[in-house]
Amino acid sequence: MATLSDIGVSALINILGAFAFLLAFAFLRIQPINDRVYFPKWYINGERASPRRSTNFVGKFVNLNFKTYLTFLNWMPQAMRMSESEIINHAGLDSAVFLRIYILGLKIFVPMAVLALLILIPVNVSSGTLFFLRKELVVSDIDKLSISNVRPESIRFFFHIGLEYLFTFWTCYMLYMEYDYIASMRLRYLASQRRRAEQFTVVVTNVPHVSGHSISESVDHFFQTNHPDRYLCHQAVYNANKYAKLVRKRDRLQNWLDYNQLKFERHPDKKPTSKTGFLGLWGEKIDSIEYYKQQIKDLDKRMILERQKILKDPKSILPVAFVSFNSRWGAAVCAQTQQSKNPTLWLTKWAPEPRDVYWRNLAIPFVSLTIRRLIISVSVFALVFFYMIPIAFVQSLANLEGLERVAPFLRPVIELKFIKSFLQGFLPGLALKIFLYILPTVLMIMSKIEGHIALSTLERRTAAKYYFFMLVNVFLGSIVTGTAFEQLDAFLHQSPTQIPRTIGVSIPMKATFFITYIMVDGWAGIAGEILRLKPLVIFHLKNMFLVKTERDKEKAMDPGSVDFPETLPSLQLYFLLGLVYAVVTPILLPFILVFFAFAYLVYRHQIINVYNQRYESAAAFWPHVHSRIIASLLISQLLLLGLLSTKKAANSTPLLVILPVLTLAFHKYCKSRFEPAFRKYPLEEAMAKDILERSTEPDLNLKAYLADAYLHPIFQTFEVEESEMVQVRVDKHQTHVASPVAREHGSSSPANYVHHPASPPEYVYQTASPPRYVYNPSSPPHYGYNSFNPPHYFYHNEEP
Amino acid sequence: MATLSDIGVSALINILGAFAFLLAFAFLRIQPINDRVYFPKWYINGERASPRRSTNFVGKFVNLNFKTYLTFLNWMPQAMRMSESEIINHAGLDSAVFLRIYILGLKIFVPMAVLALLILIPVNVSSGTLFFLRKELVVSDIDKLSISNVRPESIRFFFHIGLEYLFTFWTCYMLYMEYDYIASMRLRYLASQRRRAEQFTVVVTNVPHVSGHSISESVDHFFQTNHPDRYLCHQAVYNANKYAKLVRKRDRLQNWLDYNQLKFERHPDKKPTSKTGFLGLWGEKIDSIEYYKQQIKDLDKRMILERQKILKDPKSILPVAFVSFNSRWGAAVCAQTQQSKNPTLWLTKWAPEPRDVYWRNLAIPFVSLTIRRLIISVSVFALVFFYMIPIAFVQSLANLEGLERVAPFLRPVIELKFIKSFLQGFLPGLALKIFLYILPTVLMIMSKIEGHIALSTLERRTAAKYYFFMLVNVFLGSIVTGTAFEQLDAFLHQSPTQIPRTIGVSIPMKATFFITYIMVDGWAGIAGEILRLKPLVIFHLKNMFLVKTERDKEKAMDPGSVDFPETLPSLQLYFLLGLVYAVVTPILLPFILVFFAFAYLVYRHQIINVYNQRYESAAAFWPHVHSRIIASLLISQLLLLGLLSTKKAANSTPLLVILPVLTLAFHKYCKSRFEPAFRKYPLEEAMAKDILERSTEPDLNLKAYLADAYLHPIFQTFEVEESEMVQVRVDKHQTHVASPVAREHGSSSPANYVHHPASPPEYVYQTASPPRYVYNPSSPPHYGYNSFNPPHYFYHNEEP
């Protein structure tokens, strides 16, 4: 058990470590060679060009302007400078609300820490004795500051109970204010948004097959009947898996072509050649440029055929459709109502925004969904409680003897002493480490199997599973020793009143462990986050070995989104720790405060400079954050109840019983008061926007605007460079609409449709130059959408 | 413990008892004097007149036609003769579906009983020994037929587990088929209904107060903005508690007037007089007829003033409105969508049918609702688990010593030996008996406090609470001895795996108790139900002492509805018993089968001849019935699991663990598959009905039809006798519509509006004779509605 000074030393080491990380970051970020790693968001916005173009050779890689080294910490004020509404414009509402969670943590825990330290520490310390505790518990200095130091049956427990009440009310009050603010923020955001396809569109799943009619005809007929005057058009969803494979292949070929052309441009004397055999190692020598051009031409023909086949064959149309209405009101009505007598048919819900759609899950039938969810629930339960079993099995195999048996030729190497000791220390933990590393991916795959149709939902579901895992295996697992499976077994054989006691009584003893955890996982983790060591290394490795073209470089620097499925659950774990220890061992609170403040700064910087959100869900994750903080509150109350009941504080403990009931009631109230704002779209709001739009843009051609918004992205991944290519699509039920002339990211405008009212049937590529598809690899699933809608939202604060 | 022959004797006694009841019923029902007790439904329908008018004096009271005594059991075939669709026409869908629950019981348990008796009894009996059971358990013959007789660790338990699987699948299959059938029945019923006010109407609660605007103006403005083209009109809700008091007073006076006039007609020589003092015992002697006429006249003036005050004063308008639309589609959309940004304002849901509205709860604000529900949840929990505490306290007071102390003058009487022994046996149980008698009323009051706005919802909520009470106190309370509170305490200190064991192990031992319970509570209870002893006695008592006029007699014979809050939970208890004992002690099943068959016959008879449903919810209670049978299945599986684990059947028990998971998954599937049919109204359906109506009745004046449908019933309780009275109401926002010329029950038609497009403002009673309000006391809360809509629905079976 650590003494106070041990904790101090540990804190100092961690602070120094974090400081070293920050210094490294400050140094690395101003090197031009790393510019794309630390400021990718600005490249994507198109507001920053490579600083390497302008300087000399050395200056391309190393920052020679020594003045900038003196101001190496200025990223902090820079990060704070942006206002909240600017952040919303810059990075979206999701990111802005994500930052607010840290602020909420500070708001909740700063007054708590002050009060707890001022009141409880004197109460605990002066209370004076740990004599009554059982002998086998080793007593540390930290324990003297904690509730353990209070004598059983002491009247001083009223302080703890009173503060628990106060903290609960304070937390609930802050949660209420925050939920209220974020709900109105969301509504304001949705109201201030420009016209967007998803405002008019509803996704309809489980469209029934009617013999003699195509899916499209059924959809048209159904909605023309049941939503007359409001139904506008629909977009069928094609089963395009085979076509997607061709697109990927073409993309690869195109990349090789670009590479060879670039090579040829640089060295016009040497025609690039390659071999046709395996991996280009042997076979006939050919002209690379000609070869790839020919390959692409062949592939294009196949793709056109495949496209036509998909669009013509009724079987390739899935029983799903994106149905658009001529007003937001009509879409809001359709999304919130039941359409058919059979509630498993014609299921409607809001369409996710096009780049948020997870296309593969669209066509899962209703019964299959039920079964999938059942299986995944059981699997998650098994994963959380029994994951140690297969790992222990693998560990028993992956020892030195096993290795020698499998690969006897390695024996001489293994038997070397230092290698042997390294392997012995390394191998047993390897399986567990690999498991923990791939866990988020596994959980994401599970969520995908569950059949959610939006990426945002997938990430939220993954976060929920991950939180469950952390709660059981990190929080409970650290408090009650033994694997989760052993705990489960023990809990099943204990009485329900005994469980909070068992856990409660060990809580004060684990305070030092969690303080260390906060420093190592929290502080160091955040410092590592800003350093971005992994992306930095990967970026340079890729640049060195893999990058062939400019497009590859863009792909290599793709920063991705904030990793919600991992970040949110860890964040919520800190809320849990803070709430549980606020009354028990208040000395833990300052460590959490440092974490929240530091993480807020870092993520603010990252969101401004690095991350590029794949989708915008308008803070749809907030209800989950809220309810998990409520769950933490409940856990803290139950554990305190258990702890106090072991302290024989019989006269004071019953006072706590009412607290969980009140907390649950508060949660229920919040749920009905605010959650609809995150799940439904009020008609009042929809109507107001419709009226406004009708008065400002009376002659809007909405049908043209919506026509291709929900076309599968692989049909939209065509970009025009220099030449003008117009793709005309003919659909029986739609006016002839040309696909947009897409431009570079960010600079496209949403209304650049070319209208061809009389074009020949079938697909015709009207190209001035030979058709040249350029597939943009930097963001395959959503690029096509970006070319329709600007990636940044215009957030107009209604209040001046 | 009872032997088999004990059970046989008990069964014989109960069968004889039930037979005696049936004989008594058969005898009583053909006496003309009881005709109104046993056939009130036909009187209400107007299809039966008193048989007492046509015969001589003795024949008025006693049936002298001795032939009818020979066919005294012919009510059974009579009850079976009506087809299901006829029952729906005659008594409504609620009643028809209620009967189907008994059929469902037979469908589930007949094959189960056959299989269980054929397979399990031989397995159990031949297994041969109860030697291994603990000594303190007394062994009975019944136990030899039960699972107790199987040796621990026996391989024979696979039979029981196999059958539990089979029974679960069979029950789920039957439940699925039934849910499917009833859902389509409900939709067909709703589709085939005539035009009804609630199809077009939505109840809007929590209308916000806008300063400078009345509630009516707010409602008009809001819905004209957000539902243009569809909003038709609305009906404000008045706070009419004071007026309702006047109506009740006037009703009393009118009754006295009628009584005196009748007296005067019979004895024209003697003018009836009465005294003005207390209870008419002293004071000035006056002419009764003149006195009451004057009183009524005064009251009428006050009522008119009060009415005008209510209708004029904006403060008497509650922030609630019944909003009507010009199409079912519009109403369906409004009921299912969120209206306002603030989800606690402008809450919309389907309006209950007018006679189903519980007017008092309409104006409860949102926050209050949350608090009320919290308080009631806690109270119900306390009531179920701690109800013995106050009763024990009252019991400790209500003993002989206490009685003597309170009333010393009673001492000589109490000290008499036989009175003393009677009181000693009677007093302690009295408090409990009174409590159990008033329990449904208490639960109903609790449900009313919860704030539900429809009588049907109130009854469903009461049934849920009552079921919870029965489950804990009858089922668990009989198995585990001790009060519910003691059980709760014991369970809290046991491990979760121990609880099913503790209960499971005592289950086979309680089989004889439950067999007796089924015979006494089930068989005898049902026989008592058909005899209607209590209503019979009350009717004759009332007739003898209280009935003054014809209206009083109608009131005295009012049969009321089937008592769902009590009947449904008891019924579900039998499902629970059957499912729990099917595998454990299969000999119990035949007793349950007899109950279901007998109860089906009796309730069929009662629904055809006696009960008159107050409202029609179109089987809205079915989802509750379904989910409680599922809950019974789960309980039976867990208890079998616990029982088997005490039998050390370690190799077979784990097989059972998967069953609850599958059952839960089935429940979840059913919920999403069928429940929307009971909660929402599909747009497809609404649109189809709208189109049909528009083509058949193109010039329908819907506004006139809906104008007064949701007027508070006390404003509608005026009836015209002989003279013609037209009450004209003027409303700023509505066309001038005359109230209907109401007629006797059952014979009114729904379209007898008189249209007065130009009538003077304010209320004018255009009467040919002096205004004479006749308030119909037989069914005060819904009579006014009956005069608008026929009380019986026209059910057109779509299939031939």
Side-chain angles (χ1 to χ4, degrees), chain B residues 620-641:
Chain B
F621 57 80
W622 189 260
H624 298 265
V625 174
H626 176 89
S627 55
R628 268 177 230 137
I629 297 178
I630 294 276
S632 307
L633 260 183
L634 285 173
I635 292 174
S636 81
Q637 292 156 1
L638 288 179
L639 294 186
L640 185 65
L641 202 62

Side-chain angles (χ1 to χ4, degrees), chain B residues 316-360:
Chain B
S316 69
I317 298 185
L318 297 173
V320 184
F322 289 94
V323 175
S324 295
F325 294 83
N326 60 9
S327 63
R328 290 167 184 86
W329 192 93
V333 160
C334 184
Q336 293 177 50
T337 50
Q338 194 197 339
Q339 307 303 314
S340 148
K341 268 199 264 194
N342 182 340
T344 61
L345 297 179
W346 298 105
L347 296 180
T348 52
K349 51 179 149 181
W350 276 110
E353 54 168 347
R355 42 181 194 157
D356 191 14
V357 177
Y358 185 70
W359 294 91
R360 281 202 192 170

Side-chain angles (χ1 to χ4, degrees), chain A residues 421-546:
Chain A
S421 53
F422 171 76
L423 282 180
Q424 267 171 342
F426 178 72
L427 269 184
L430 187 63
L432 181 61
K433 275 182 195 116
I434 291 176
F435 169 77
L436 289 179
Y437 186 76
I438 61 165
L439 179 64
T441 318
V442 171
L443 294 177
M444 177 54 100
I445 291 169
M446 284 179 155
S447 304
K448 281 179 179 169
I449 294 173
E450 275 185 321
H452 307 287
I453 61 164
L455 292 172
S456 52
T457 320
L458 285 173
E459 295 209 337
R460 285 200 296 278
R461 299 291 308 159
T462 308
K465 295 185 178 75
Y466 197 59
Y467 179 72
F468 184 46
F469 186 88
M470 301 253 289
L471 180 68
V472 172
N473 287 297
V474 176
F475 181 69
L476 292 182
S478 307
I479 290 176
V480 186
T481 46
T483 63
F485 172 60
E486 285 164 13
Q487 290 164 37
L488 183 70
D489 191 56
F491 289 156
L492 281 179
H493 291 90
Q494 279 179 337
S495 76
T497 47
Q498 190 56 41
I499 296 170
R501 281 190 202 187
T502 314
I503 305 172
V505 81
S506 359
I507 279 188
M509 292 182 284
K510 295 293 173 178
T512 46
F513 169 77
F514 281 117
I515 290 176
T516 323
Y517 181 85
I518 291 166
M519 289 191 291
V520 173
D521 182 84
W523 299 5
I526 291 295
E529 163 70 35
I530 199 169
L531 189 58
R532 282 172 66 72
L533 207 55
K534 203 175 102 186
L536 182 73
V537 171
I538 289 176
F539 173 73
H540 287 304
L541 283 180
K542 271 189 181 168
N543 248 353
M544 236 174 280
F545 298 111
L546 291 173

Side-chain angles (χ1 to χ4, degrees), chain B residues 533-606:
Chain B
L533 207 56
K534 204 174 101 188
L536 182 74
V537 171
I538 289 176
F539 174 73
H540 286 302
L541 282 179
K542 272 190 181 166
N543 250 353
M544 236 174 280
F545 299 111
L546 291 173
V547 166
K548 293 188 286 288
T549 64
E550 191 67 14
R551 237 185 319 287
D552 271 359
K553 193 180 268 177
E554 268 170 24
K555 200 177 176 180
M557 77 144 195
D558 179 34
S561 317
V562 178
D563 190 7
F564 285 138
E566 270 189 85
T567 320
L568 286 182
S570 348
L571 182 51
Q572 284 148 8
L573 190 72
Y574 290 106
F575 275 97
L576 176 65
L577 288 179
L579 290 171
V580 167
Y581 278 100
V583 173
V584 174
T585 312
I587 198 73
L588 187 134
L589 289 180
F591 293 88
I592 287 191
L593 286 182
V594 170
F595 167 77
F596 277 123
F598 186 35
Y600 175 67
L601 267 180
V602 167
Y603 271 107
R604 220 184 145 93
H605 173 267
Q606 299 294 78

Side-chain angles (χ1 to χ4, degrees), chain A residues 352 783 798:
Chain A
Y783 184 73
E798 281 181 342

Side-chain angles (χ1 to χ4, degrees), chain A residues 73-203:
Chain A
L73 270 182
N74 68 350
W75 62 269
M76 284 192 183
Q78 266 173 19
M80 296 309 297
R81 212 171 292 144
M82 244 185 195
S83 75
E84 187 167 66
S85 59
E86 280 168 343
I87 287 184
I88 293 172
N89 284 341
H90 179 76
L93 188 65
D94 278 345
S95 307
V97 170
F98 173 68
L99 289 178
R100 285 193 71 89
I101 305 178
Y102 293 96
I103 292 292
L104 176 67
L106 289 175
K107 278 185 194 161
I108 288 179
F109 287 115
V110 166
M112 258 194 202
V114 172
L115 260 186
L117 292 176
L118 283 183
I119 297 179
L120 286 187
I121 296 272
V123 166
N124 292 339
V125 170
S126 70
S127 181
T129 177
L130 277 165
F131 185 76
F132 286 87
L133 278 179
R134 280 177 290 161
K135 282 278 162 62
E136 67 263 32
L137 305 177
V138 185
V139 175
S140 80
D141 281 358
I142 293 286
D143 282 347
K144 291 205 180 120
L145 304 177
S146 83
I147 203 170
S148 313
N149 204 30
V150 182
R151 195 179 281 110
E153 298 181 55
S154 169
I155 202 168
R156 290 173 189 238
F157 287 122
F158 280 108
F159 279 104
H160 300 90
I161 292 173
L163 277 183
E164 181 75 14
Y165 265 86
L166 198 66
F167 290 169
T168 300
F169 289 141
W170 172 249
T171 309
C172 287
Y173 175 70
M174 289 318 300
L175 280 175
Y176 183 87
M177 299 304 289
E178 195 68 19
Y179 213 153
D180 193 18
Y181 184 80
I182 286 172
S184 68
M185 218 168 151
R186 177 183 158 95
L187 285 175
R188 220 160 49 214
Y189 178 74
L190 293 176
S192 69
Q193 271 182 325
R194 286 182 54 83
R195 180 169 55 250
R196 292 163 62 72
E198 64 265 24
Q199 292 166 343
F200 298 91
T201 308
V202 158
V203 55

